[in-house]
Amino acid sequence: MSELRRHPVPESVDTEGWTLTIGGCVDRSLEFDLDDLSSLPRQSVSDDFACVDGWSAAGLSWRGIPVSTLLDRAGPTVIDGYGLVHALDGDYACAFPLDRLREALLAVELDDEPLPVEHGGPARFVPGGDDSDCWEQVKWVSTIEITTSQPTDTAKAIALGRIDE
Ligand SMILES: Nc1nc2c(c(=O)[nH]1)N[C@H]1C(S)=C(S)[C@@H](COP(=O)(O)O)O[C@H]1N2
Ligand SMILES: [Mo]
C-alpha cells in the first residue's frame, strides 16, 4: 500500500457549510449536506491510482455514496446526456457520459477515515472501471450538472497544464 501524493489545497477551496447540488436537466434539483449524505447507504471500492505525471498510489480504499443513488433521486430528464462534475477550486470541472456517471462513487472516506480536505474532502468523485484518468477523480465536488450535449471539460486541460510546469 502507498499513499496519494500531497498537493497544496487552493485558496478558493472553502469547505465550511459544504453542500453538493445535483442540477441541470433533472426533475428535481437537489442539494445534499453531509447529514443528508450520512443517511444514504455507502459502498466501498479498492483501487490503485496513477497520475499521468508519473507517480502512483496502490491499494486505496474508498467509501461513499454511489452516484447512481443521487441521480435516481434527482431524476435526469435525458437518456444520452452528460454530467459535468464541478469542484470548489474555480473552473475545475470534468465531463462524463451519464453511463459513466452512474458507475462512479462519491467518496467521503479514504482508508476508513473521513476523507481529508487535502485529498478532496468532504467528497471526491471516483469513477468506476479500470481506465479512468487521474484528473477525473474530481476533488472537492460541489455540483453535478446534467446536460444534453457534451460540455467542455476543463479538468483535463488544467491537469495536463500542470505537467508542463
Ligand atoms: N478539484 C480538483 N480535483 C483534482 C485536481 C485538481 O486540481 N482540482 N487534480 C487532479 C489530478 S491531476 C490528480 S493526479 C489528483 C491528485 O489527487 P491528490 O491531490 O489527492 O494526490 O486529483 C485530481 N483531482
Ligand atoms: Mo494527475
Side-chain angles (χ1 to χ4, degrees):
M1 208 172 93
S2 54
E3 293 198 338
L4 283 168
R5 188 165 283 192
R6 297 199 158 91
H7 299 96
V9 177
E11 250 174 54
S12 52
V13 173
D14 178 4
T15 60
E16 175 102 25
W18 176 88
T19 60
L20 166 74
T21 301
I22 315 271
C25 301
V26 291
D27 281 332
R28 299 163 286 281
S29 193
L30 297 178
E31 198 176 352
F32 298 88
D33 63 18
L34 279 175
D35 258 7
D36 300 327
L37 292 185
S38 67
S39 66
L40 297 173
R42 294 190 180 182
Q43 271 179 21
S44 299
V45 41
S46 290
D47 205 5
D48 298 338
F49 180 83
C51 172
V52 284
D53 214 357
W55 58 273
S56 60
L60 302 173
S61 165
W62 302 105
R63 192 166 171 77
I65 300 91
V67 172
S68 59
T69 304
L70 305 170
L71 286 182
D72 287 345
R73 298 205 169 199
T77 53
V78 283
I79 295 165
D80 292 323
Y82 294 83
L84 188 59
V85 180
H86 295 270
L88 294 177
D89 52 337
D91 59 359
Y92 195 101
C94 199
F96 299 87
L98 265 184
D99 55 346
R100 283 198 71 208
L101 208 64
R102 292 194 159 277
E103 292 173 356
L105 189 71
L106 185 76
V108 292
E109 293 173 55
L110 172 60
D111 295 333
D112 297 322
E113 301 286 343
L115 181 61
V117 67
E118 71 168 342
H119 291 308
R124 174 166 173 147
F125 188 88
V126 176
D130 296 329
D131 53 357
S132 63
D133 295 305
C134 63
W135 57 81
E136 294 181 332
Q137 284 208 1
V138 180
K139 298 184 275 190
W140 316 295
V141 175
S142 58
T143 302
I144 300 178
E145 182 191 353
I146 308 302
T147 64
T148 44
S149 53
Q150 187 163 13
T152 315
D153 177 343
T154 53
K156 181 175 184 180
I158 291 171
L160 295 177
R162 205 162 273 166
I163 288 162
D164 298 333
E165 279 171 10

